[in-house]
Amino acid sequence: KRETRMRATKIGSFLKQLYPFYVGNKAVTKSGSVLPVVDKFNGNHATQFSVPDDSDVEAAIVAGVKAEKSMKALTSFQRKDILLELASNIKKREEEFVYALCLEAGKPFNDSTTEVARAIDTITTSAEESVRNYGEYASLDISTRNKGFQGITRRYPLGLVSMISPFNFPLNLVAHKVAPAIAAGCPFILKPSEKTPLGSLLLAEELSKMSALPEGAFSVLPCDTKHAAPLSKDDRIKALSFTGSETVGWKLKDEAGAKKVILELGGNAAVIVDETHTTDKELDHIASRIVFGAFYYSGQSCISVQRVLLHESVYDKVKALLVTKAKALKSGDPMDKSTFIGPIISEHDAKRLEKWVGNAVNKGAQVLLGGKRNGVFFEPTILENVGRDTELFCDEAFGPVCWIGKFKSWEQALEQVNDSRFGLQAGVFTKNIHRAFNAFDELEVGGVVINDIPSVRVDSQPYGGVKRSGVGREGIRFAIEDFSETK
């Protein structure tokens, strides 16, 4: 009871009774049209937020179109100052943002703290990039017909962009869309996940206080899919940036018409451990990193480790280390600083994981650890001998589940990584520099991490996938390019 009271005090110290959405920089409250924000740990309705309808979406588009010229006219230093002020204001409310993520996403305290810090970095780096809109001089006198011709190139903002963000990183993945749009000089409409709207609504609250932002520069609409259709279909919108599921992403691309589309759709990330790492210290470190990559935020990351490919000479030793380390992870209240495993985003998804593990076992897989569900909690789970005809082999688990497999040759390991319709990131543990570069050349993924897990993402790096994992790249400078065009 004491812990329950303490938890309620932490939540109640910052929560409002009703959160507005934002249209054209202005807060809009509709008390008659609300949805709850659910505490993912206990299922309680913690607060609620106003829900926009079709008229609000239309008003946001109209406001955004009107703001295109004024956003384009912002100087580089004005864009930089806006973003630096935003980063500073988030820092001042850091504790509030952290507990909001713990509450709405069920994200453990340490992971939530890291996400808020990363969002501040993302926005700060976007501010730095906003003053680096470099062009080129082009020599055009390529033949006698073009004698005396010269040219210059420069990038200009596309105009109004729409953004759809997922539940799993309610602040930093929002920052990865919003901050580059401001840096590029584009007005935007953001649709955050209705499951985790607080991070984006708190960010929008800070943006709404900024007089330097032109009227109509932004809207944040936590609406359902039905009302969000214009964000992909409306021709007044010049680009769509979507992070989410494979099925929805490619459907939105088909609907998008002539607008530019950036998709980040996840995957079933693999890590290779070859035979060049042999000492107990090395293998212990590698196992610790794999356990972190597979189970942080209960595996609800698009670059969570799902496939662990071990050379036959280290297979048994690494397998034992993985089981021992994963067994020691603590599950519990996300607001407890000692918690590593929090709840799955919904009981529906926890039941899906339970079913997938059961299907794999029925087809010959062995559970080395875990495999059981308790409400919205799912145990850290490790399997081996997972068949190619199972969901855990082919699809994205998006939960605290990984499986281990064995390989004999380096070439076989590369083939196993590429045996997937996805291709977001891969990790490779090797001491062989030639293999490191060979992996970079041959792996069909958007990013290769050498001597670490695929779950590493530095917020300034180009980030995105190939094959069914998406198209385009995020990562501040690269997102700014996607929100602009060359003249």
Side-chain angles (χ1 to χ4, degrees), residues 127-445:
E128 296 164 353
E129 289 294 337
S130 67
V131 297
R132 297 175 186 152
N133 182 13
Y134 303 133
E136 291 183 349
Y137 166 79
S139 177
L140 300 180
D141 53 347
I142 62 172
S143 71
T144 56
R145 297 186 304 276
N146 312 114
K147 184 178 180 180
F149 279 46
Q150 302 176 66
I152 59 171
T153 65
R154 180 185 168 189
R155 300 192 72 86
Y156 287 87
L158 281 176
L160 177 62
V161 298
S162 62
M163 310 161 174
I164 301 176
S165 61
F167 75 81
N168 58 330
F169 286 85
L171 183 61
N172 194 39
L173 289 185
V174 167
H176 265 287
K177 299 180 186 299
V178 166
I182 294 173
C186 294
F188 65 88
I189 303 170
L190 168 71
K191 184 200 124 34
S193 170
E194 313 97 283
K195 296 177 182 177
T196 55
L198 292 185
S200 58
L201 293 176
L202 291 174
L203 184 147
E205 181 184 338
E206 289 303 324
L207 286 175
S208 70
K209 301 173 184 176
M210 296 184 181
S211 58
L213 266 181
E215 183 178 352
F218 79 93
S219 296
V220 176
L221 307 175
C223 57
D224 59 25
T225 304
K226 177 179 63 176
H227 295 305
L231 300 186
S232 61
K233 296 179 179 180
D234 197 296
D235 289 336
R236 290 170 292 180
I237 295 172
K238 304 304 192 303
L240 164 66
S241 177
F242 172 85
T243 302
S245 74
E246 172 195 12
T247 303
V248 174
W250 292 111
K251 178 177 180 291
L252 293 178
K253 186 175 185 296
D254 289 340
E255 298 173 350
K259 66 174 61 64
K260 183 182 288 188
V261 177
I262 304 99
L263 301 177
E264 196 278 280
L265 307 178
N268 53 1
V271 60
I272 295 172
V273 182
D274 76 2
E275 71 277 19
T276 61
H277 291 280
T278 57
T279 70
D280 289 346
K281 182 178 180 180
E282 289 170 342
L283 295 179
D284 186 81
H285 168 73
I286 290 169
S288 294
R289 292 301 293 157
I290 292 173
V291 166
F292 177 83
F295 303 123
Y296 79 100
Y297 187 36
S298 297
Q300 295 172 115
S301 166
C302 50
I303 44 177
S304 170
V305 174
Q306 186 169 330
R307 300 180 290 152
V308 182
L309 307 177
L310 306 172
H311 187 269
E312 58 184 4
S313 65
V314 300
Y315 185 88
D316 290 336
K317 184 172 287 189
V318 175
K319 178 174 78 170
L321 287 168
L322 292 174
V323 171
T324 299
K325 291 175 181 294
K327 190 181 296 184
L329 299 176
K330 179 184 175 182
S331 299
D333 185 347
M335 294 191 186
D336 183 338
K337 294 181 182 180
S338 65
T339 292
F340 190 87
I341 299 289
I344 301 298
I345 193 66
S346 70
E347 189 169 14
H348 171 79
D349 285 287
K351 288 180 177 178
R352 172 185 57 79
L353 288 169
E354 185 177 40
K355 179 180 178 181
W356 283 17
V357 171
N359 290 345
V361 171
N362 290 337
K363 294 183 178 182
Q366 288 83 48
V367 175
L368 303 175
L369 179 71
K372 294 184 175 61
R373 178 183 66 86
N374 181 13
V376 292
F377 279 82
F378 200 85
E379 295 177 338
T381 299
I382 304 173
L383 302 95
E384 64 180 345
N385 298 318
V386 171
R388 294 188 75 259
D389 59 345
T390 63
E391 295 96 340
L392 290 180
F393 189 99
C394 301
D395 299 323
E396 182 177 34
F398 224 68
V401 179
C402 71
W403 56 263
I404 59 176
K406 189 182 299 184
F407 66 88
K408 292 184 178 182
S409 70
W410 172 253
E411 292 74 20
Q412 185 183 30
L414 299 182
E415 290 174 1
Q416 289 181 13
V417 174
N418 289 339
D419 186 17
S420 171
R421 71 178 187 273
F422 297 111
L424 189 48
Q425 291 201 153
V428 178
F429 286 94
T430 182
K431 290 181 179 179
N432 187 317
I433 188 66
H434 301 292
R435 284 183 174 179
F437 277 98
N438 181 235
F440 184 66
D441 288 340
E442 299 299 328
L443 291 181
E444 298 167 355
V445 293

Side-chain angles (χ1 to χ4, degrees), residues 50-98:
S50 295
V51 180
D53 57 24
D54 289 340
S55 64
D56 300 307
V57 175
E58 173 62 20
I61 294 174
V62 171
V65 170
K66 287 182 179 178
E68 286 179 340
K69 288 185 179 180
S70 52
M71 282 293 288
K72 180 180 178 180
L74 287 175
T75 64
S76 296
F77 72 80
Q78 286 176 313
R79 299 172 193 178
K80 178 182 178 181
D81 289 347
I82 289 167
L83 290 166
L84 289 177
E85 183 181 351
L86 177 60
S88 175
N89 290 344
I90 292 175
K91 179 66 176 176
K92 292 174 184 176
R93 300 174 68 179
E94 182 176 11
E95 184 179 24
E96 180 179 359
F97 275 94
V98 168

Side-chain angles (χ1 to χ4, degrees), residues 14-128:
F14 66 81
L15 276 186
K16 300 175 183 177
Q17 291 186 345
L18 177 65
Y19 287 82
F21 57 87
Y22 292 80
V23 174
N25 305 30
K26 298 176 182 178
V28 179
T29 301
K30 291 188 173 182
S31 58
S33 179
V34 299
L35 284 175
V37 176
V38 176
D39 184 335
K40 301 305 185 294
F41 175 64
N42 55 29
N44 293 340
H45 289 189
T47 183
Q48 56 190 359
F49 61 97
S50 295
V51 180
D53 57 24
D54 289 340
S55 64
D56 300 307
V57 175
E58 173 62 20
I61 294 174
V62 171
V65 170
K66 287 182 179 178
E68 286 179 340
K69 288 185 179 180
S70 52
M71 282 293 288
K72 180 180 178 180
L74 287 175
T75 64
S76 296
F77 72 80
Q78 286 176 313
R79 299 172 193 178
K80 178 182 178 181
D81 289 347
I82 289 167
L83 290 166
L84 289 177
E85 183 181 351
L86 177 60
S88 175
N89 290 344
I90 292 175
K91 179 66 176 176
K92 292 174 184 176
R93 300 174 68 179
E94 182 176 11
E95 184 179 24
E96 180 179 359
F97 275 94
V98 168
Y99 281 118
L101 301 188
C102 288
L103 174 77
E104 66 175 349
K107 181 167 289 192
F109 181 89
N110 293 327
D111 291 335
S112 295
T113 301
T114 298
E115 179 173 351
V116 175
R118 287 181 62 191
I120 293 169
D121 286 346
T122 297
I123 296 166
T124 302
T125 306
S126 296
E128 296 164 353

